[in-house]
Structures are given as C-alpha cells and as structure tokens.
Amino acid sequence: MKVILLINCPDQAGIISSVTQFLHSRNGNIVYLDQHVDKSSNVFFMRLESEFDTENFNTSTFKKIFDDVLAQPYQMHWSLHLDGLKPKMALFVSKYKHCIYDILGRHNAGELAVDIPFILSNHPDLRFIADQFNIPFYHLPFSKENSAEAEDRQLALLSEHKIDFIVLARYMQIVSSRLIAIYPNKIINIHHSFLPAFAGAKPYHAAFKRGVKIIGATSHYVTSELDEGPIIEQDVTTVSHLHSIPDFIGKGMDLEKIVLSRAIKLHILRKTMVYNNKTIIFS
Amino acid sequence: MKVILLINCPDQAGIISSVTQFLHSRNGNIVYLDQHVDKSSNVFFMRLESEFDTENFNTSTFKKIFDDVLAQPYQMHWSLHLDGLKPKMALFVSKYKHCIYDILGRHNAGELAVDIPFILSNHPDLRFIADQFNIPFYHLPFSKENSAEAEDRQLALLSEHKIDFIVLARYMQIVSSRLIAIYPNKIINIHHSFLPAFAGAKPYHAAFKRGVKIIGATSHYVTSELDEGPIIEQDVTTVSHLHSIPDFIGKGMDLEKIVLSRAIKLHILRKTMVYNNKTIIFS
Amino acid sequence: MKVILLINCPDQAGIISSVTQFLHSRNGNIVYLDQHVDKSSNVFFMRLESEFDTENFNTSTFKKIFDDVLAQPYQMHWSLHLDGLKPKMALFVSKYKHCIYDILGRHNAGELAVDIPFILSNHPDLRFIADQFNIPFYHLPFSKENSAEAEDRQLALLSEHKIDFIVLARYMQIVSSRLIAIYPNKIINIHHSFLPAFAGAKPYHAAFKRGVKIIGATSHYVTSELDEGPIIEQDVTTVSHLHSIPDFIGKGMDLEKIVLSRAIKLHILRKTMVYNNKTIIFS
Amino acid sequence: MKVILLINCPDQAGIISSVTQFLHSRNGNIVYLDQHVDKSSNVFFMRLESEFDTENFNTSTFKKIFDDVLAQPYQMHWSLHLDGLKPKMALFVSKYKHCIYDILGRHNAGELAVDIPFILSNHPDLRFIADQFNIPFYHLPFSKENSAEAEDRQLALLSEHKIDFIVLARYMQIVSSRLIAIYPNKIINIHHSFLPAFAGAKPYHAAFKRGVKIIGATSHYVTSELDEGPIIEQDVTTVSHLHSIPDFIGKGMDLEKIVLSRAIKLHILRKTMVYNNKTIIFS
C-alpha cells in the first residue's frame, strides 16, 4: 500500500535524514520525495510517498509513533493519506454549463479519482445536466431572508455526505464564513481572471476595457477575503483588438475549465500545501 | 516604392471600397490590407500597403488629393509612411543592462530598422555599453533642483536629433508631461509586470508575496497616467514556490527583453494604432 | 442577413477594389474583410462578411451575377455561406471518452453552432455517452471481410443525413479513400502529436522515448496521405523527466480536446481555406 | 561552502536515507534535495546541495569517503561540484549574430557565471563582435584538406584553456567524433526546430512547406548521431499563413536565443544529468 505524507515545520538541520531514516527503519520504501525550504519564512516543506507491506502496516499505530518520534520534536504540521482512497467532492454550480460539463465528463472518463455525492446550486437551471450524469441535484436558493437557514441546510448536506472538499464551478454566490471555517483550504474556486488583476465582478469586461493582450483564469482556495485566497493554478491565453467581450468570455471559458480541473487534480493527489496564504505545489 | 496608410474614422458603408478604388485608380497595387471595426465605439480602422511606380508617385501630391477626396469626407485620422525610411529612436536607460544589451545586439544584428542617434541616462553606469556599440551617451541626472533644466536639455537633444520615438528600456525616472505631450503614443515603456496587476514599484516583490503562478511583462505607450497607457504587447512565464524574488527578477528580465523588442518592432513597422487608450495591432 | 464569401484566385491588381465595389454597389455593407497573398505561389485569398437587407437579397441571383462579373474574369475559386445556417456534423469515435465528452458538453453548452445527427463508431463502448446526450449512435464495425459493405453503409448514413462535415474524435480506423474523395477538406482529424513529429501510431510512446520537453496535438483535414493533411490547429504543453507515458497521455488528452474543438469552431465559422496542402486561417 | 552532489544508481531501498544520513553525520546541512526514479529503467537520480563549514571540509577526503561508504556499495555514478567555481566555456560560432550577441550580452550583464576564454569560428565574420566584448577570437576554417589539422588545433585550444564545456551558438560545421568523445554531454547545441520534427538542414523552410502552426527550437547535448542527442530544453512560438520563411527565421531566432541561454544556465548550475539519451532536469 502507498502512504502519502505531507509535512511542514520550522527549517532545521537533519529533518530529511530523520524522516527518511524513520521510514526506512519501518520497512517503508520511499518512492517519491519532494522538499522545499521557504527561505523568507524559514519553513521546511516535504511530500513523501512510501510503499509498505499492507499486512504489517497499521495506520493508527504508524501515526502515533510518527507523532511521538518526529512530529513533536520537529514541531511539524503534517497529514497522512492512504493512496487509493477516493475523496468525496461536492460540486457547487449556478448557471454556467462549461465547468460542470467539463468536470462530469472528466469524471466519467475516469480522469478524476473522486466520488461526487451531489451537486448543489442556487439556481435550478443545471438540474438536467446532473440528471444526464445521474448525480443527485439540490436546488438551494439563497436570499436575504433565508440565508441562515440555507446555510444550515448546506452544511447539513455536506456533513451528511461526509464531503472532503468542495469545488465552486462558477458558483455565483459568496460562500459563508462558517463554511470557510469548516473547510479551510478545502474549497476550490475558479476566478475568471488572471488574479490579482481584475478581482471582483465582470473581469472580462474590465480586461476588455483596459485593452490587455492576454487574459487568464485563476483557481484558488477560498478564504474570507474575496479573490484573495492562496492560488493553486493559473493559465492565460492571448487576445487582441479583434476580440469582443463575448470572445473574451468564450476564450476564457476554455481557460476556466482547464485551470479548475488541474487544481482539482492537484488537490486530489495531495500535491498542495498552504502556508502564508500561498501554495506549495509538489512535483 | 511601398506606401503604408494608417486610417481611422467613424464607421460607415463604402469606406473599403472607396479607399481601394482610389488606390487602384492611381495605379497603386494593394499588397496588404487589414481592417477592423470597433463595434463598441463604431470606429473603423485600416492599414494598407500599396506599391507605386516611384517615378510617378509624388508624396505631397498624393497626400493632398487623398485628403480632399477621402480624408475630409470620411472624417479620417490618417497618416502615410514611406516604407524603408528608418525612424530615429532615442534610447533612455538607467542601470539595468539586459534591455539595452538586447536592443543594441538586435540593432547590430540587423533586426531593428532604426537609427539610434544617442542613448540618454540619468545614471552614468551604462556608458561603457554605449561605448561598446559606438553610440553617443548623454548622462543627464535629474534632481528636484535641476528638473526643469534637465527637461529642457532632454527636449533639446530629442529635437536636435529629430527623434521620431523614444524607448524607455527600464528607464527609472518618471517622464515629464511636457515630453509626453510632444511625443504622444511615441514613447514606449516596458513595465515589469502583467499589467494591470502590480502597477507601480517593485512588481516582482508584490507578485512573490501574492503567490502568483505566472508573471509577466507589459510594453505600453506612455501617457500621463503612470502604467495606464495603451498596451502594445504582453507576455508571461510560469513561476512556482521554488522561485525566490531574485528568480522572479531573472525570469522577468527575459520577458522584458522580448516584450519590449516586439513592441519596438510593431512600432517601427507602423502596425500600431491607438484609440480610446487601447491599441489596434495590425497583422 | 449576413453573407460570408471565401475567395481565392491568382493574385492580380484590383481584386479587392473590384470585389468591395461590387458588394457596395449591391447595397452590401462589408463588416469584415481579411485578405492574404501567398507570395510563393502568387495566390490571393479573401474572406468577407457582408450584411444585406434580407428582402432584397436573392442568393441564387447573387451567385449568378458574382460568378459572371467577378469569379470568371478573375478565375476565382469561391464559396458563399449564409451566416446562421447550422452545418450538419457527423461524429466518428472509437473508445476514447475525452473528446466525445468535450464535444457534446460544448454542444449542449451552446458553444458549437452545428447539428449532430448521429455518432458513428467501430466499437460499441461509447454508446452510453451518445445515450446520455440523446444522439443516435450507430455501431459500424470494420473487418477485412466487411470493409466494402461497411463503407457503403457509412456513406449511406452520411448522405441520408445530409452531413456537411465529419469529425474524427480519436476514431481509430483509417478512413477510406472514397470517403475522403466525397468530403474533401471536410473531414477533421485530431492527431495526438505535434505533427510532423511522431506521425503514425503510439506518438506518446515515441515522444517519451525521445525525451522531448514539449508534447503537442494537431488537428488537420484528412487527405489520402496519413497524418499529412493540411494542419488547422496545433497546441503544445510542457513535459519533463517526471512524466511517465500515462502522464504524457493524460496531459495530451487535454490538448487533443482543446485543439480539436478549436479546429471545429474555425471550420463552422468558415474561417479556413485550403491551398497547396496548407490552411489559410482567417482572423 | 556549498557542495553539489549529482548521483545516479540502480534503484533500491534506503538510498535517500543513507545519503542524507551520511551528509548529516558529517555536519552537512542539506539545503536542497531533488530525486527521481525512472521506473522504466529502474534507475534512481538525485541532486543535493549541502552547506559545510569551510574550515572542516576537505574535498578530496570527502570524495574518498563518499566513494567508499556510498558510491561503491550502491554502484553510483556521481560527481561533486563546488558551488561558486566558474566553469570555462568555449563559444563556437559561424555567421549568425543573434546567439553570440545574446550570450555575450547576458554574460556582461552578470547572468552567466562562466568564464569565456575564447570564441572560435570557421568564418571570420563575427570577429568584430568578439572585439566589442574583448574576447579572443580564433578563426579556424575547415576544409576537406585541412580537417585533421584543424581538429588538432581546435582540441589544442580547448585543452590549453582548460575548457569545461562548449556551446555551439549556431556553429554551422559538424563537430568531429573525437571532440564529442572528449566532451561527452559537454557540448551544447541549439537546433532551429522543434526536434524531432525537421532535423537536418533548413528546418524553417521545411516547417513553412508543411504548414505547421507552431515552430520551435531545441537545445541538446551533441552526440555522434546528428540532431539526436539528449534534449535539454525546447520552446515554441505560434506562426500562421501570414508568416513567410524570413518571418519564421526571425521568430525562430528569438526562440533559439532563449532556449540556448536556458540550456547553458541549467548546465552551469549542474541541474542536468544524462541517462539513456535523455536528460533529467533537476528543479
């Protein structure tokens, strides 16, 4: 079986040696190691993949000993993931079809190793797509009057289905601070601009007005500051005076799809780690 | 001989037909035509290249008749350029070596069809490069006390050498409104970020802090609003958590060079037209 | 109504003027013109969009007069298309899911202005996707024994549904020369390499073996020479020693989808013209 | 002082642990580690940077012990490099000015941490550039008659100046097998195409003829098979029907410069390792 370890701690001599020694001594075969030191904050980051003989590996025992022997002395923040366990992903959408089709098409094509227990939307429009792919669809409208209640319902659904992370696939509704607090660095948004340029509403209109020659899309973890969360992935494409605002939107949709799906894959593969509102993206 | 026409005017039926008819009737052979209509402002733009028999072509006569027959009736803004005439370009630099070396290397390699009568700097550091390439170098420092005087000297130099356009190759000094007024859409700057992200000073530091995954460079015509002029060219490159601020700066220098040289070439070839603080870049 | 004209002919003086004059005199308002001269073969290419008052425009009359007045004298190859008429597109697939999902998702999202009367496959595997999107699916296996018969059936289906063009969305069967002859420059293929590198089978394996740092995908019109048809669109992505063959395939699938959909859009918008086994892609 | 270790060996359990343990026990502080396992050949690759207290570090002692304790038991191919020692680079050129100007400009701007003891050319044309940058220039023409003699002279120059590696900056002369044998994986070439497409002569002409939409450049180590050596770096740019062969060449020159300079930097930083005619490029 393959075990993924994600670690960060204050940088200090001997960490790599200690961790690899620990794994080796417990018959783990390290098949991948990527590490990074952030010099400005003096923090060490590491991602390891180790293979263990399934019969002799007990997850809770391993965690206990790792914590005692390494995590405590080195003041590590760390997590352990068993490769092959599919996380549960909730998909939040509104009215745009491109991202939901892209994600569900990829899921059905076997590209995304997740379960999608349900799709949630503040609008009823995309129910037919959920139906096409046989996934439960919850229409949960938000208004000033019902917002607390809607939030409760939202959180209940997430908890009931044991959701691991949430994807906002052009979900046009600001998510609540309660939700963000419960799913820190576990809500992935796609913003339709090359952040920090054109944060906020109508970025394609703003980009058109400014006359930029390149537009972009940005996937980031959601934090309480709108469009300010840690960036996971960005990509861009060229535009010119020949392109109208609808052209910007059309070209942008292709970017949004590809950037969001890359971010989802990185998250699923446990290749992301957040520190100081920035991401480490392991190789 | 080849004549380049740049035209813009209110959009209306029959312009292309009238202009091409006019050229054809005067024995001009149209070898290139690119046109564009900005639907939002209802403005028509066109760039033509026509070949004429040199013996029968008189520039001032042509201009006079073109103005009477076409420009006046269609309310055109237009200009005529004789292909093959090398414009005179002034190069303003400060302390960075990468852009000046790139431009002078390209110039000597025959890539840039301009004359460079002089290099001007507010610092003495790069004189040795001007010397390497045998180009006069003027050290013209600016201070609070001497700014009016320095400006006069600057303008005198430009005028004396009949400069057509100015390139700010990482020139670290805000150019005066007088200079901008005299050279409208004729001062090309390179900004070391993907504008409008990270306008102002220290963009690489700001990009690093924000944790972006892509950095860029932007070449634009200088207007009185700092970093807000019409964008000519942009390009980007990927960065990651592995890159420090010096890495951003190093990768960015390559972008700055390439983006600035592309903008200079577009300007020399008369492929740019400015309208509403945006550029039309003809094919 | 909007009329699109595609023209090529031997280059000669006065063409643009004659054509624009012709349209103007018949009350057509030219809203777009892009032209190009291939200097090496001395051929002129043009694409125009003109708006006409629907009441006064008769397509067959227009065609007749255009032919007499312009096409004959200038020896033009030309075609006229009414904007807004949806072409009929047949989709040929085999076993790969990524392209079919991408195309059908885009179609349902309103991105592709075509009708898709049916999906044809030499394998039964993807019937469920056709069912999801409510599109008739024909399973038409090819073997050495039945190939003539299968070909007949294929051509009959295409003819019966008045198919305008065919998209091979990773269709793993060589198309017959009869089919190619009937649909010249109307069969769009996606090849999973940056042609002409790695033509033929297993390009990702070949790319991996060669140790390239960039892989690509190529969409082209199908001709009788395998993987040698005129290229419509290409794109690339970076790879490194970190990527295995399955990684190449995974990254490549994203390229294939995007490159194929761009080629389909260009074809639908009548922005492509083929000459000398190369494409002109109008702006 | 900083020490760089480059290692490859048959993959086996415990290598990372043993090497990091070894360095830690000798008071080395590991500031960087990147490793990779090539699954298809079962080979392990690693690059480490370790800081040592200069007073207590003796290079030859360290090498001896490392060899005994680790290299022998693990059957390693390895090398040790002291960070900060500038390698000596010979520059071979012919007639093209863009690469030589780019490299010398970068060198003078402080971007390339190398010494350039001389420039060698089979043509006299670029002597003036060497003069501009005050670098000795040797004109060493090759002909059928003098080739053995010229080769001897070439090798003598390289040996005399203790050259570490050679850069062929559009050097239009096939290098001899003797030279390749003496400098294995130490001769860097730039080929003006996206290899393996358009190997051999006149790649831009071939790309133009094929009608590709993207052109590229490739930097690789020179082996006895022409244009078949391990690829270090590639990059591409878009072209269209608008571009003539001279345009391809012009756009390509920008690629060649950037791709070659990136390859040189990777080589200088000891970030490349060659195996099975492919490169590992460490992060």
Side-chain angles (χ1 to χ4, degrees), chain D:
Chain D
M1 81 187 314
K2 195 151 80 181
V3 169
I4 298 167
L5 282 170
L6 285 169
I7 297 166
N8 76 52
C9 63
D11 190 29
Q12 53 210 292
I15 310 174
I16 302 176
S17 168
S18 300
V19 175
T20 56
Q21 183 79 358
F22 176 87
L23 292 169
H24 187 51
S25 72
R26 304 188 70 79
N27 300 313
N29 184 27
I30 300 170
V31 293
Y32 164 95
L33 182 161
D34 189 16
Q35 57 75 236
H36 171 65
V37 177
D38 182 328
K39 298 272 156 75
S40 56
S41 58
N42 215 38
V43 174
F44 172 86
F45 299 88
M46 188 156 60
R47 183 179 182 280
L48 294 116
E49 296 181 4
S50 284
E51 285 169 352
F52 288 92
D53 198 10
T54 309
E55 288 160 38
N56 303 319
F57 186 84
N58 179 292
T59 307
S60 52
T61 309
F62 181 91
K63 278 177 153 179
K64 175 83 185 64
I65 302 177
F66 186 91
D67 200 59
D68 288 351
V69 175
L70 291 170
Q72 301 280 0
Y74 284 105
Q75 299 171 262
M76 290 175 178
H77 294 93
W78 68 288
S79 59
L80 179 154
H81 308 274
L82 300 184
D83 193 45
L85 275 195
K86 280 192 187 178
K88 291 181 194 305
M89 169 179 124
L91 192 55
F92 285 23
V93 300
S94 291
K95 294 188 167 185
Y96 287 104
K97 303 187 186 85
H98 58 294
C99 284
I100 180 175
Y101 262 130
D102 189 63
I103 290 167
L104 298 183
R106 287 174 190 275
H107 188 237
N108 264 27
E111 272 186 58
L112 303 176
V114 287
D115 287 327
I116 306 179
F118 66 87
I119 294 168
L120 180 151
S121 181
N122 53 342
H123 294 282
D125 310 51
L126 305 185
R127 179 185 298 275
F128 80 100
I129 300 178
D131 289 349
Q132 265 188 296
F133 287 83
N134 261 318
I135 297 178
F137 179 90
Y138 297 101
H139 174 213
L140 190 57
F142 274 73
S143 62
K144 275 186 186 163
E145 296 71 34
N146 84 341
S147 73
E149 199 183 331
E151 248 181 80
D152 288 346
R153 176 81 181 107
Q154 199 180 49
L155 294 173
L157 270 170
L158 294 165
S159 156
E160 195 180 300
H161 289 92
K162 299 190 192 329
I163 291 301
D164 292 299
F165 72 105
I166 300 164
V167 169
L168 311 182
R170 298 297 309 277
Y171 180 64
M172 314 294 273
Q173 168 81 32
I174 292 179
V175 296
S176 71
S177 49
R178 273 165 74 198
L179 187 66
I180 295 169
I182 297 174
Y183 293 92
N185 301 322
K186 289 178 177 170
I187 308 174
I188 300 174
N189 186 40
I190 178 72
H191 184 76
H192 40 318
S193 87
F194 181 71
L195 288 175
F198 311 122
K202 295 207 172 273
Y204 293 125
H205 291 71
F208 180 81
K209 188 163 185 307
R210 179 61 186 93
V212 293
K213 301 301 185 190
I214 289 176
I215 55 170
T218 304
S219 187
H220 63 93
Y221 287 118
V222 174
T223 61
S224 50
E225 307 271 334
L226 187 66
D227 298 334
E228 293 285 344
I231 293 170
I232 306 168
E233 174 73 6
Q234 299 188 293
D235 207 347
V236 298
T237 195
T238 55
V239 290
S240 78
H241 65 276
L242 294 171
H243 297 102
S244 62
I245 290 176
D247 294 333
F248 276 45
I249 292 171
K251 296 195 85 174
M253 290 195 308
D254 274 358
L255 282 178
E256 294 163 32
K257 282 155 57 166
I258 205 100
V259 167
L260 180 56
S261 74
R262 283 191 207 137
I264 294 172
K265 286 183 187 177
L266 289 169
H267 187 87
I268 293 172
L269 294 170
R270 317 288 183 183
K271 297 219 163 181
T272 67
M273 201 162 207
V274 172
Y275 188 82
N276 257 355
N277 205 46
K278 293 162 71 167
T279 58
I280 311 296
I281 304 292
F282 293 103
S283 64

Side-chain angles (χ1 to χ4, degrees), chain A residues 34-46:
Chain A
D34 190 15
Q35 58 73 236
H36 171 65
V37 176
D38 181 327
K39 299 270 158 76
S40 58
S41 58
N42 215 37
V43 174
F44 173 86
F45 300 88
M46 187 157 59

